[in-house]
């Protein structure tokens, strides 16, 4: 969406255009000069913590907002049932099916269509014994296998995490069904803070927090994805049981192929190196959260946390402004804090890429709105698939140590000695 592109450009200007030049002038005052790379006592800590602050402020607000929406929705359903309101099937008027992606696709749904969808959707039931058996099997396997892989993650950490995972998964799935937002990362970050602090530095809290975070993220995210699949299946008259089996098959295929793909990438490309194509910035963010939770905040540079706290407040204020103050016609121009946070850790170039695509799409909509609405997503998907497919030959060339026949670089005039 245009609002995301605009927000990322705002983040790029605030970070690379304003914050980082000012911050470099504080080297030797706020933090030791000459520290580079991933040193958490230098400038890098500001990059990561300020990005985390914007993200957590936005994510926390959205969690509370979705909790209120979910509770209100449940309360209205309960009150409707108590006063004997007629069900949807009893209504004669047609209902317009919404078009959240603005594809130009909509139709009037009749009561017969709603009854058919409900009958197809509810005809397949998964016995509660299968659900309970699968949960207990995952609990036992996780508590036994994961400590062998990561000894710092004790079995009782995982046992406690597995006890809370169903509640997190249920809340995230219900909220995703209502709002179409999957906030699994917020639950994972919560797990990092709790279990890394529980283990502490002496108990390998960094690894323990990240390992438990992986368990929580995997479970909570899968619940939201399955909810979205169920919703799609409801509208397309697909069998819920078939959708569930398909997700299980996809998970097993992922278990087989993910390690091979990871090995391929680590062999072919530099992974986790700053200013490269695969700098994996959020891996660094999660690790820093775990390090700080285990070690405490004493090693961070001056004013890092105080400014981060201010950014959390700014993210919440932007959301409140958007939801309660700004008129509907202007809401899209209020920056999205999560999108603003991305250039803080990834860098400004990603905002340029997104804005370029946004401007092309905007020009297309102005020139031919019908074609843009019907083919825009297909064109974007084609660009993504093409870029992804190119990674295979690029990886093969990397393994073969092939060198590029031509390289081009751009320098500032002051730094250009050629």
């Amino acid at each position: 969406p245009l609002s995301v592109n605009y927000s990322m450009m705002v983040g790029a200007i605030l970070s690379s255009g304003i914050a980082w030049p000012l911050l470099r002038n504080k080297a030797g005052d706020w933090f030791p000069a000459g520290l580079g790379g991933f040193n958490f006592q230098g400038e890098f800590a500001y990059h990561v913590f300020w990005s985390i602050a914007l993200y957590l402020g936005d994510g926390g607000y959205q969690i509370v907002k979705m909790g209120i929406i979910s509770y209100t929705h449940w309360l209205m359903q309960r009150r409707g049932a108590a006063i004997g309101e007629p069900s949807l099937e009893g209504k004669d008027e047609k209902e317009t099916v919404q078009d959240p992606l603005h594809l130009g696709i909509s139709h009037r749904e009749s009561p017969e269509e709603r009854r058919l969808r409900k009958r197809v959707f509810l005809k397949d039931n998964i016995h509660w014994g299968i659900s309970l058996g699968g949960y207990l099997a995952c609990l036992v396997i996780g508590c036994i296998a994961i400590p062998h892989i990561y000894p710092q993650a004790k079995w009782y950490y995982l046992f406690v995490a597995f006890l809370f995972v169903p509640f997190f998964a249920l809340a995230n799935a219900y909220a995703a069904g209502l709002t179409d937002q999957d906030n699994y990362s917020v639950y994972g970050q919560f797990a990092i803070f709790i279990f890394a602090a529980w283990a502490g530095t002496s108990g390998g809290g960094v690894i323990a927090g990240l390992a438990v975070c992986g368990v929580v993220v995997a479970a909570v995210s899968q619940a939201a994805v399955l909810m979205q699949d169920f919703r799609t299946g409801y509208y397309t008259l697909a069998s819920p049981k078939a959708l569930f089996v398909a997700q299980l098959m996809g998970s097993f295929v992922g278990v087989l192929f993910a390690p091979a793909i990871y090995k391929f990438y680590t062999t072919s490309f530099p992974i986790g190196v700053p200013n490269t194509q695969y700098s994996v910035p959020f891996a660094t963010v999660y690790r820093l959260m775990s390090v700080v939770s285990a070690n405490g905040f004493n090693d961070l540079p001056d004013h890092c946390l105080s400014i981060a706290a201010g950014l959390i407040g700014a993210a919440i204020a932007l959301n409140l402004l958007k939801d309660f103050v700004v008129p509907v016609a202007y809401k899209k121009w209020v920056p999205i804090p999560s999108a603003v946070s991305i250039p803080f850790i990834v860098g400004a170039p990603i905002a340029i890429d997104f804005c370029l695509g946004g401007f092309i799409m905007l020009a297309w909509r102005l020139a031919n709105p019908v074609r843009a609405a019907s083919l825009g997503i297909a064109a974007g998907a084609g660009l993504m698939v093409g870029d992804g497919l190119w990674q295979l030959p690029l990886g093969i060339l990397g393994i073969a140590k092939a060198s590029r026949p031509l390289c081009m670089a751009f320098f500032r005039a002051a730094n250009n000695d050629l």
Side-chain angles (χ1 to χ4, degrees), residues 98-153:
Q98 299 298 321
D99 180 22
L101 296 178
H102 307 289
L103 300 177
I105 302 171
S106 63
H107 70 279
R108 306 287 288 179
E109 184 185 46
S110 66
E112 291 77 14
E113 289 176 312
R114 285 200 299 273
R115 283 193 291 269
L116 176 61
R117 286 195 172 94
K118 186 174 182 180
R119 184 169 65 252
V120 172
F121 187 76
L122 296 179
K123 71 181 180 64
D124 291 333
N125 290 319
I126 300 175
H127 194 269
W128 66 269
I130 297 176
S131 302
L132 180 60
Y135 169 72
L136 293 176
C138 290
L139 186 151
V140 172
I141 294 173
C143 291
I144 295 175
I146 295 177
H148 283 283
I149 302 174
Y150 304 105
Q152 298 89 342

Side-chain angles (χ1 to χ4, degrees), residues 16 49 53 56 98 111 114 129 173 184 189 197 244 254 261 269 286 293 309 328 343 355 384 393 397:
S16 297
F49 256 87
L56 285 181
Q98 299 298 321
R114 285 200 299 273
Y184 68 89
Q189 292 161 7
F244 179 72
I261 295 174
F269 308 102
Y286 277 50
S293 300
V328 175
C355 283
M384 293 177 63
L397 292 174

